[in-house]
Amino acid sequence: MPRRGSWPCLLLWPLLLLQLAAVRGYFPEERWVPESRLRPPRVLLALLARNAAHSLPAALGCIERLRHPKDRIALWVATDHSVDNTTAVLREWLVNVQTMYHSVEWRPMEQPRSYPDEEGPKHWSNSRYEHIMKLRQAALQSARDIWADYILFVDADNLLTNPDTLGLMIAENKTVVAPMLDSRAAYSNFWCGMTSQGYYKRTPAYIPIRKRDRRGCFAVPMVHSTFLIDLRKEASQNLIFYPPHPDYTWAFDDIIVFAFACRQAEVQMYVCNKEEYGSLPVPLRSHSTLRDEVESFMHVQLEIMVKNPPVEPSRYLSLPPKVPDKMGFDEVFMINLKRRADRRERMLWALYEQQIDCKIIEAVDGKAMNSSQVDAMGISMLPGYKDPYHGRPLTKGELGCFLSHYKVWKEIVERGLEKSLVFEDDLRFEIFFKRRLMNLMYDLEEEGLDWDLIYIGRKRMQVEHPEKAVPHIRNLVEADYSYWTLGYVISLQGAQKLLDAQPLSKMLPVDEFLPVMFDKHPVTEYMEHFENRNLLAFSVEPLLVYPTHYTGDDGYISDTETSVVWNNENVKTDWDRAKSQKMKEQQELSNEAKNSGVLQSPLDSTARDEL
């Protein structure tokens, strides 16, 4: 007797048997197996490179890591008018990878090395625009000739760090679609507005998309640099780069010509910002040099490392080793807590990329110190000290931070180092960092300025009045009340002054101690404990380093603020600085307080922003 509830199962058996019979077949010749899945689409990847030897190792490494079967990708690669070894780099790469990809079309051009009507390697002349249009058209035609399903254009300095970028763009099912690429500024590879003459137009829609306040796939009038064309779509047959459409009257520019062609073919361009896909450099101005371009691209790599792993170069290229130096300093110190290996590795990589040699100083871990150790070192807090904005005493993290810098000052004096550079491990570098700092130090020597300490990164706390510009020296002001010790240059004379103040017996946070020593602290009671407040302190303007994270950012961790009181482990000091009065008062400088009279360096205006 069947159990209750088993009848439905018995009724299903005939259906299952029928299905099984259908698979096996009544006769042997009727047997079949399920169909296999479709093969991935065929993609032609077009890469145009000029003077790109510096960016190709990283860009090609990103291309190698795209998660699309390489035997379904055809490579179309061209070089033109290069003065560096772009052609040699690409030739080596193609020789080593050609068997992995479906096919390779190689169009090298080693001569001539420049266009007759260009003013420099970064100048876009009409003949250069025309040549690029012809190359893009040749790549597009090649994709059509081999019956490719898609063509992906990638500029040689664009880093597709997301290996799924190609697949994600294919999944959007658009005729022309671009992954939004990030940069250090508002610039990206799309426009949200275009004038009736085809020029860029600022619109309110741009920034919310660029900042990913709005996420999605957006219809836009222009995409460029890296974008995908779906050649299966009928309308794609009418897309051209060269010659321009017969009705074309706009600027002679390859990206504008193609945008016009899309408009005429009634093809809508799209940009997607649903995920982070990669990065690109901000375009340089026409007077910029190849050295500027090399350093600008390096900065893209440094910015990627702030939140992501470094971009690994191609495995199929032989790269010469970098030769780090100390930039003319007697020593370059990098302070790092032993338990913060993540910061140490990131900083070492960032310094190596800039060819900067450094000595690691193991930071004092204040959180690991007990009261007995503090007493044994003769450490006492400055009488009556409370954080000017929090109203709290010194933290163990701040104690460790001070002792770490104190360790550096002692070594400078013991070794007799005339000028040293000090880094903490949680900073990010500004573009052209190394050259800007070396130029500043040269100007100091030339002018014979007497100095003890120069901030290269700080938080300016006095925001009511401008700081005094230093005459005849570019990018330098006399420092007023400032926070942070992210990075600074210090002289032997300056280190000796700091040690002579005997700060361990009247300790306060190091970024409060320094303003006391140059007589600019707002609390006079603190300054009265230090007799000689004659530290000659300056600051670069604009700054050369900034924090990797600010309070409230994803990934923000403070080893100084989030701690316990220096002499009482039971009192937590996990204040929310984002809500503190200090942060509310120091959001931005008033117009009257901006340091507008500072002599500027030509490097300050090398790169553009949104356009």
Side-chain angles (χ1 to χ4, degrees):
M1 183 77 180
R3 290 174 298 175
R4 192 188 322 177
S6 63
W7 289 109
C9 295
L10 292 174
L11 291 173
L12 286 174
W13 270 106
L15 294 174
L16 293 172
L17 290 172
L18 283 173
Q19 286 186 335
L20 190 61
V23 173
R24 292 181 175 176
Y26 188 81
F27 297 105
E29 58 269 21
E30 293 177 343
R31 293 173 184 168
W32 61 274
V33 294
E35 290 290 324
S36 62
R37 63 182 182 181
L38 292 173
R39 298 184 70 189
R42 296 162 294 188
V43 179
L44 184 139
L45 191 151
L47 182 70
L48 282 62
R50 185 194 184 198
N51 294 322
H54 61 283
S55 63
L56 282 170
L60 295 175
C62 290
I63 289 173
E64 293 165 17
R65 292 185 287 273
L66 288 175
R67 291 195 185 106
H68 194 85
K70 290 180 171 54
D71 62 354
R72 304 294 285 175
I73 298 178
L75 298 176
W76 191 99
V77 183
T79 65
D80 75 287
H81 301 79
S82 292
V83 297
D84 65 2
N85 61 337
T86 292
T87 301
V89 171
L90 280 169
R91 183 181 288 115
E92 178 187 0
W93 184 71
L94 290 172
V95 166
N96 289 330
V97 304
Q98 60 183 334
T99 57
M100 305 177 195
Y101 290 89
H102 178 269
S103 62
V104 172
E105 185 169 344
W106 172 224
R107 295 197 177 195
M109 175 191 282
E110 304 211 41
Q111 294 293 337
R113 294 192 166 202
S114 62
Y115 292 93
D117 56 343
E118 73 177 4
E119 299 172 4
K122 297 307 299 175
H123 176 229
W124 280 86
S125 63
N126 281 346
S127 60
R128 182 178 181 185
Y129 277 125
E130 183 173 13
H131 189 71
I132 293 300
M133 290 181 212
K134 289 179 178 178
L135 288 177
R136 291 193 185 277
Q137 183 63 33
L140 180 59
Q141 189 57 49
S142 180
R144 288 166 173 160
D145 291 344
I146 66 172
W147 298 88
D149 298 310
Y150 298 89
I151 179 170
L152 176 66
F153 285 97
V154 181
D155 278 2
D157 58 0
N158 289 191
L159 298 177
L160 300 181
T161 51
N162 185 335
D164 294 317
T165 297
L166 177 54
L168 292 169
M169 293 303 101
I170 290 173
E172 291 296 336
N173 194 28
K174 309 293 186 187
T175 307
V176 178
V177 63
M180 190 190 79
L181 301 181
D182 295 308
S183 78
R184 64 180 177 83
Y187 177 79
S188 188
N189 59 322
F190 72 99
W191 298 0
C192 275
M194 183 183 285
T195 69
S196 57
Q197 291 79 37
Y199 291 107
Y200 177 80
K201 179 182 178 182
R202 288 180 181 268
T203 70
Y206 183 86
I207 294 299
I209 295 174
R210 173 65 184 85
K211 290 185 174 181
R212 292 189 176 85
D213 294 333
R214 296 177 63 207
R215 287 180 181 256
C217 205
F218 302 95
V220 293
M222 165 72 75
V223 295
H224 58 85
S225 299
T226 292
F227 55 94
L228 183 75
I229 303 175
D230 188 343
L231 300 176
R232 304 170 308 163
K233 301 289 180 74
E234 286 189 9
S236 72
Q237 299 177 73
N238 299 319
L239 300 181
I240 59 170
F241 289 94
Y242 190 88
H245 191 278
D247 297 333
Y248 187 79
T249 59
W250 293 352
F252 199 63
D253 181 312
D254 62 309
I255 65 173
I256 301 177
V257 166
F258 184 64
F260 185 88
C262 288
R263 179 179 295 191
Q264 294 300 108
E266 297 184 342
V267 170
Q268 177 63 61
M269 290 178 158
Y270 289 86
V271 66
C272 291
N273 69 350
K274 297 176 182 177
E275 299 190 24
E276 292 185 3
Y277 305 102
S279 299
L280 80 173
V282 176
L284 302 180
R285 299 188 185 278
S286 59
H287 64 264
S288 301
T289 65
L290 287 183
R291 181 185 180 185
D292 296 336
E293 187 170 26
V294 170
E295 294 178 14
S296 173
F297 181 78
M298 178 182 64
H299 188 257
V300 174
Q301 295 175 284
L302 297 181
E303 285 294 283
I304 289 172
M305 283 192 286
V306 171
K307 295 182 180 179
N308 302 285
V311 179
E312 296 287 348
S314 168
R315 296 182 295 142
Y316 302 99
L317 288 174
S318 53
L319 302 176
K322 296 181 183 292
V323 184
D325 58 53
K326 295 179 181 178
M327 301 184 287
F329 292 101
D330 296 309
E331 190 61 88
V332 178
F333 297 97
M334 194 266 282
I335 299 172
N336 168 257
L337 278 169
K338 188 175 183 179
R339 58 182 166 86
R340 297 308 301 267
D342 54 336
R343 290 183 176 181
R344 180 169 60 253
E345 293 307 311
R346 187 194 69 81
M347 274 294 290
L348 288 175
W349 191 294
L351 291 169
Y352 179 76
E353 284 297 311
Q354 298 174 89
Q355 300 189 73
I356 299 173
D357 189 20
C358 79
K359 176 180 180 179
I360 298 175
I361 295 294
E362 185 175 329
V364 176
D365 195 343
K367 294 180 181 180
M369 295 180 70
N370 57 42
S371 299
S372 299
Q373 292 171 311
V374 172
D375 292 339
M377 295 179 69
I379 296 173
S380 299
M381 191 191 298
L382 184 75
Y385 171 75
K386 288 186 178 180
D387 180 278
Y389 294 93
H390 293 144
R392 60 158 172 80
L394 192 77
T395 71
K396 275 199 168 185
E398 289 170 333
L399 171 65
C401 182
F402 193 109
L403 293 176
S404 302
H405 286 271
Y406 189 84
K407 182 193 291 191
V408 171
W409 305 336
K410 283 187 66 176
E411 180 168 335
I412 288 172
V413 172
E414 289 168 359
R415 291 173 58 189
L417 304 176
E418 290 295 334
K419 57 180 179 179
S420 302
L421 177 60
V422 182
F423 291 125
E424 292 183 343
D425 62 2
D426 54 349
L427 58 83
R428 67 202 303 169
F429 295 91
E430 269 292 90
I431 189 171
F432 308 128
F433 166 80
K434 185 175 182 179
R435 192 161 23 138
R436 281 175 159 174
L437 183 54
M438 292 180 71
N439 288 347
L440 173 66
M441 299 310 296
Y442 175 82
D443 287 349
L444 292 180
E445 296 289 336
E446 286 292 296
E447 195 62 27
L449 181 71
D450 191 12
W451 60 274
D452 292 327
L453 182 139
I454 302 170
Y455 289 101
I456 62 172
R458 61 170 178 156
K459 180 173 180 61
R460 184 178 160 196
M461 300 302 291
Q462 187 283 109
V463 297
E464 298 302 321
H465 309 288
E467 294 169 310
K468 184 179 178 182
V470 178
H472 313 301
I473 298 181
R474 295 171 296 183
N475 307 118
L476 195 67
V477 297
E478 295 182 9
D480 211 316
Y481 182 42
S482 303
Y483 267 9
W484 301 345
T485 48
L486 290 171
Y488 56 89
V489 179
I490 187 169
S491 69
L492 174 60
Q493 172 183 271
Q496 187 66 64
K497 287 181 180 180
L498 297 177
L499 295 181
D500 288 345
Q502 300 181 353
L504 299 191
S505 61
K506 41 198 171 184
M507 184 173 285
L508 68 169
V510 65
D511 57 357
E512 301 277 15
F513 171 63
L514 293 179
V516 165
M517 290 301 294
F518 55 82
D519 206 33
K520 291 292 177 68
H521 200 285
V523 183
T524 56
E525 290 83 357
Y526 299 165
M527 295 198 291
E528 290 171 356
H529 291 273
F530 299 88
E531 183 177 352
N532 296 317
R533 302 186 300 275
N534 58 352
L535 192 75
L536 302 174
F538 302 87
S539 175
V540 296
E541 179 76 24
L543 297 172
L544 298 181
V545 297
Y546 290 88
T548 53
H549 298 83
Y550 291 91
T551 309
D553 287 353
D554 290 340
Y556 172 78
I557 299 175
S558 171
D559 289 313
T560 54
E561 296 288 331
T562 308
S563 183
V564 295
V565 171
W566 75 289
N567 59 354
N568 190 339
E569 298 181 8
N570 296 317
V571 180
K572 301 288 185 180
T573 62
D574 191 5
W575 276 273
D576 186 349
R577 298 190 87 184
K579 297 177 182 176
S580 73
Q581 188 63 27
K582 174 179 68 176
M583 292 299 116
K584 291 177 183 177
E585 293 180 1
Q586 305 298 332
Q587 290 302 313
E588 60 182 31
L589 299 174
S590 64
N591 288 329
E592 296 78 11
K594 291 180 180 177
N595 297 326
S596 56
V598 185
L599 288 176
Q600 296 298 302
S601 160
L603 290 174
D604 295 335
S605 59
T606 298
R608 295 179 286 175
D609 185 11
E610 184 175 332
L611 214 207

